């Protein structure tokens, strides 16, 4: 069982009868789809000379926030959008600071894309992989966050206090093995590329 499946199982166990199996399955599908879309969106941004890496970095937080909204819908969770933005920003910032020097890589992407021809190719590939990794990893962290919310509060009701949420976010970040999560995310990217999920995401991203 991989890390994502294990996290979803822990959430299901903590929720008891609150969440049904089809809701957990729907959330997993959303995570895979959003990660693939983030990858192809990142590739598109990486081809924009000079600005691509910067655009991709900003788009990642927006993509993760949108994914969280969809995950909540799958799971029947109601949460204010500004809180979701706060949570998404916190997890993306942590990942960007810790997983393989992602911020530095995106900075290099901006420099590479100034170079016509050969320079643009690795820039696009790097940005696409990083988009997938951050989105996938952010999903795992969010699922772990939801599990902790249930363990602490017993339900998803009355989630309003940012200070309380920050404490839980910090605990999730501290407990996460980000290197293993990033490794799994990279493997999932390769799998998505092989089985055609990235091509499907490209098609969806055009509409």
């Amino acid at each position: 069982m991989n890390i994502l499946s294990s996290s979803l199982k822990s959430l299901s166990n903590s929720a008891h009868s609150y969440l049904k199996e089809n809701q957990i399955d729907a959330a997993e599908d959303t995570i895979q789809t959003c990660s693939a879309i983030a990858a192809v969106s990142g590739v598109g941004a990486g081809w924009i000379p000079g600005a691509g890496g910067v655009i991709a970095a900003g788009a990642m937080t927006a993509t993760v926030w949108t994914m969280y909204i969809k995950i909540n819908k799958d799971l029947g969770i109601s949460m204010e959008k500004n809180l979701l933005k706060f949570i998404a920003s916190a997890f993306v910032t942590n990942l960007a600071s810790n997983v393989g020097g992602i911020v530095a890589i995106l900075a290099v992407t901006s420099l590479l894309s100034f170079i016509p021809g050969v320079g643009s190719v690795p820039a696009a590939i790097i940005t696409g992989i990083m988009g997938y990794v951050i989105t996938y990893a952010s999903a795992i962290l969010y699922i772990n966050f939801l599990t902790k919310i249930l363990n602490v509060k017993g339900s998803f009701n009355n989630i309003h206090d940012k200070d309380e949420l920050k404490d839980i976010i910090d605990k999730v970040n501290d407990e996460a093995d980000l290197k293993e999560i990033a490794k799994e995310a990279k493997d999932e990217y390769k799998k998505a590329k092989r089985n055609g999920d990235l091509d499907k995401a490209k098609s969806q991203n055009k509409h």
Side-chain angles (χ1 to χ4, degrees):
M1 182 180 295
N2 64 18
I3 299 171
L4 175 60
S5 297
S6 179
S7 293
L8 288 167
K9 184 177 181 180
S10 294
L11 175 62
S12 180
N13 291 339
S14 296
H16 303 296
S17 59
Y18 182 81
L19 294 175
K20 297 179 181 178
E21 186 175 348
N22 66 311
Q23 291 176 294
I24 297 293
D25 290 342
E28 185 169 13
D29 287 343
T30 291
I31 291 164
Q32 299 287 359
T33 299
C34 288
S35 297
I37 290 174
V40 298
S41 297
V43 167
W47 282 96
I48 301 174
V54 177
I55 292 172
M60 282 176 190
T61 297
T63 299
V64 168
W65 173 56
T66 301
M67 177 179 64
Y68 287 177
I69 292 173
K70 292 179 179 179
I71 290 173
N72 280 4
K73 184 176 181 181
D74 292 332
L75 300 177
I77 299 170
S78 178
M79 196 181 300
E80 294 177 10
K81 288 185 177 181
N82 68 318
L83 288 179
L84 278 179
K85 284 183 179 179
F86 172 76
I87 296 165
S89 178
F91 283 137
V92 168
T93 299
N94 180 60
L95 285 164
S97 300
N98 291 282
V99 180
I102 291 175
V103 169
I105 290 172
L106 289 179
V108 171
T109 302
S110 291
L111 295 174
L112 281 173
S113 59
F114 276 115
I115 305 171
V118 176
S120 297
V121 175
I125 294 172
I126 291 170
T127 310
I129 294 172
M130 291 303 105
Y132 193 103
V133 168
I134 289 185
T135 305
Y136 185 93
S138 295
I140 291 175
L141 295 177
Y142 185 61
I143 295 301
N144 293 346
F145 167 84
L146 292 177
T147 301
K148 281 201 177 293
I149 287 287
L150 280 179
N151 291 338
V152 170
K153 301 176 74 70
S155 74
F156 296 118
N157 298 325
N158 300 317
I159 303 174
H160 303 295
D161 188 341
K162 284 188 177 181
D163 288 334
E164 182 181 17
L165 293 183
K166 186 179 183 305
D167 288 341
I168 295 174
I169 288 168
D170 288 344
K171 288 179 183 177
V172 170
N173 282 330
D174 289 343
E175 294 173 5
D177 188 338
L178 296 183
K179 287 184 179 179
E180 287 302 311
I181 291 174
K183 181 180 177 182
E184 177 173 303
K186 186 176 68 174
D187 291 342
E188 289 296 318
Y189 171 85
K190 292 178 181 177
K191 188 187 299 182
K193 189 173 182 179
R194 286 197 307 270
N195 65 21
D197 285 349
L198 294 186
D199 291 332
K200 292 178 185 176
K202 285 179 185 178
S203 178
Q204 292 177 20
N205 203 43
K206 291 178 181 178
H207 299 296

